[in-house]
Amino acid sequence: MKMRLITHTAPVASCLSASGNSRSIANKVAAGECAPGAALQARARHALRNRPVGKVHALGTWRDPAAHAQLGAALGKTLTPALRADFEWYQCRGAFFHNDAHYDERMFGIWCIVGPPAELVLPRAALRLAAGPGTIAVFDPYEVHGVLAPECGAYAADDYRDAEASVFVGFELDITAPIATAFGITPGEHGRVISSHTRIAASSGALDSG
């Protein structure tokens, strides 16, 4: 399935990285599908750990040329040249709303390998993307996001106490000129600035009024 770019209508905002760089937050996300093979699914299950609900847990960095080639083929000719070589295993049983303001000049992607039906929810952007096995999503790490069960409107830890864990391949795209163009990113400050100091309501993803 070809990746599709989805334009959202969230208010224009910018991000401020730890290094002091500022840029607009992407006004698009990308979504697609790529069926993982049995070997990759087995590796994902092997990576599973007993971790608390509600948080996305990093389980280790790795490289695999075959997986990189398969993902690159799914991402397509615009996105693939910016795909970094390193992958990271991520696991969650639901994830409260947060952003990842430690990233600098990168877009973030998830490729779900195993797990129950779930949705990547971006409340500021009013988007819900499938996050079940075989789905891919690429989004701005500064955009508020969480992982919820389908049709759940808010995050509540009790909803995931007995849930099966989802395991994702986390990947990164350098914000090259083609990536900036594709995702609607421009340099400088635009609208509200969102950073690591921005308070985010864990249950709803609402930003503070500052």
Side-chain angles (χ1 to χ4, degrees):
M1 176 181 175
K2 183 179 179 181
M3 295 291 291
R4 66 189 190 280
L5 286 166
I6 304 167
T7 303
H8 62 74
T9 58
V12 175
S14 60
C15 59
L16 182 64
S17 71
S19 62
N21 295 322
S22 60
R23 61 168 177 81
S24 68
I25 292 177
N27 66 8
K28 296 181 179 70
V29 301
E33 295 180 7
C34 182
L40 190 58
Q41 290 178 317
R43 289 178 65 183
R45 292 188 179 97
H46 183 73
L48 273 168
R49 298 291 183 270
N50 184 16
R51 295 289 187 268
V53 301
K55 185 176 180 181
V56 179
H57 301 276
L59 302 177
T61 302
W62 52 286
R63 290 188 177 190
D64 184 322
H68 191 276
Q70 184 184 9
L71 180 60
L75 291 176
K77 64 181 181 180
T78 299
L79 306 189
T80 299
L83 178 62
R84 292 192 168 198
D86 287 341
F87 292 146
E88 180 103 29
W89 286 121
Y90 288 102
Q91 167 188 330
C92 71
R93 287 188 287 149
F96 59 75
F97 288 102
H98 63 287
N99 69 2
D100 294 297
H102 56 284
Y103 285 100
D104 195 4
E105 299 306 316
R106 278 166 279 177
M107 295 289 284
F108 185 68
I110 55 172
W111 178 16
C112 185
I113 307 302
V114 297
E119 292 180 327
L120 174 69
V121 182
L122 298 91
R124 199 184 75 91
L127 288 176
R128 302 178 72 101
L129 304 176
T135 61
I136 302 171
V138 180
F139 57 97
D140 197 315
Y142 282 82
E143 190 65 68
V144 175
H145 54 279
V147 179
L148 302 184
E151 301 183 4
C152 279
Y155 169 77
D158 287 345
D159 293 341
Y160 303 96
R161 298 295 182 197
D162 299 317
E164 180 186 353
S166 296
V167 182
F168 304 93
V169 172
F171 60 92
E172 301 168 19
L173 304 180
D174 290 315
I175 301 181
T176 59
I179 295 298
T181 299
F183 286 93
I185 297 169
T186 55
E189 290 189 13
H190 311 264
R192 177 174 181 167
V193 175
I194 297 176
S195 71
S196 59
H197 301 295
T198 303
R199 294 183 179 181
I200 299 167
S203 62
S204 67
L207 303 179
D208 64 24
S209 58

